[in-house]
Amino acid sequence: MEREGAYSALHRTKPETLAFALSDSPARLASWMVEKFQGWSDCDGDMEKSFSLDHILTNISIYWFTNSIASSIRIYTEGTQMPLHFTEGQRVTVPTGVSLFPKELPKPPRSWVERVYNITYWEKANKGGHFAAMENPKLFADHLNHFFHSLSN
């Protein structure tokens, strides 16, 4: 969090400032997003190990042409206004599956998650990061399939 957490504080506290800055310049938006792809994926600093340049540019273009970066930032502020909180004994009883990817943060211990969620599937992946579905769609889909298959048994 020390190395990669500044974005979260900025999203929570100054979302409109950041949104206007990123919506005003495709170069700013691209640099902001590329930094996240590079820092949060399992690529050891070389994004092209995880993504093609076409995928990166397509992702950036979607945010640019739809002018939707502000709505993607807003969730951080909204989360602080109504944080997720469980009272003692409160649980989510719906079967819950968790896939942990090595370069994703945070990685909570299973015991913490099990206090409030009905964990029926818990799998640690051997590679991947925050953008796991984009980095390794087959591995991500395998985890989803295993989780949903476990529900039918």
Side-chain angles (χ1 to χ4, degrees):
M1 285 306 292
E2 185 177 314
R3 192 180 74 242
E4 294 292 338
Y7 85 95
S8 181
L10 189 55
H11 282 207
R12 282 190 322 272
T13 61
K14 306 292 183 198
E16 296 302 315
T17 303
L18 181 60
F20 284 120
L22 298 178
S23 296
D24 191 49
S25 164
R28 281 187 216 130
L29 178 63
S31 66
W32 182 262
M33 292 181 68
V34 164
E35 179 184 75
K36 305 311 173 243
F37 281 122
Q38 190 173 41
W40 299 352
S41 65
D42 193 359
C43 70
D44 299 319
D46 180 3
M47 288 184 313
E48 290 185 78
K49 284 184 178 178
S50 296
F51 316 103
S52 72
L53 290 179
D54 281 347
H55 279 117
I56 293 168
L57 290 173
T58 298
N59 197 283
I60 293 166
S61 295
I62 290 168
Y63 282 95
W64 178 253
F65 291 119
T66 61
N67 197 26
S68 58
I69 196 68
S71 61
S72 74
I73 294 171
R74 193 172 301 119
I75 192 170
Y76 292 84
T77 298
E78 292 171 2
T80 61
Q81 294 169 356
M82 193 171 154
L84 181 61
H85 176 75
F86 293 94
T87 59
E88 189 170 334
Q90 186 179 16
R91 290 187 52 77
V92 174
T93 58
V94 175
T96 303
V98 175
S99 292
L100 294 172
F101 294 89
K103 297 293 183 167
E104 174 67 300
L105 293 173
K107 289 184 273 226
R110 184 173 180 160
S111 61
W112 288 14
V113 180
E114 286 180 326
R115 285 189 276 182
V116 291
Y117 290 94
N118 175 22
I119 302 298
T120 60
Y121 178 84
W122 185 275
E123 186 68 37
K124 291 183 178 180
N126 60 355
K127 64 181 186 174
H130 183 74
F131 307 101
M134 191 172 158
E135 288 178 73
N136 193 331
K138 182 177 179 344
L139 177 63
F140 186 82
D142 286 347
H143 281 216
L144 282 176
N145 285 330
H146 290 151
F147 167 65
F148 284 107
H149 182 72
S150 73
L151 297 178
S152 64
N153 290 337

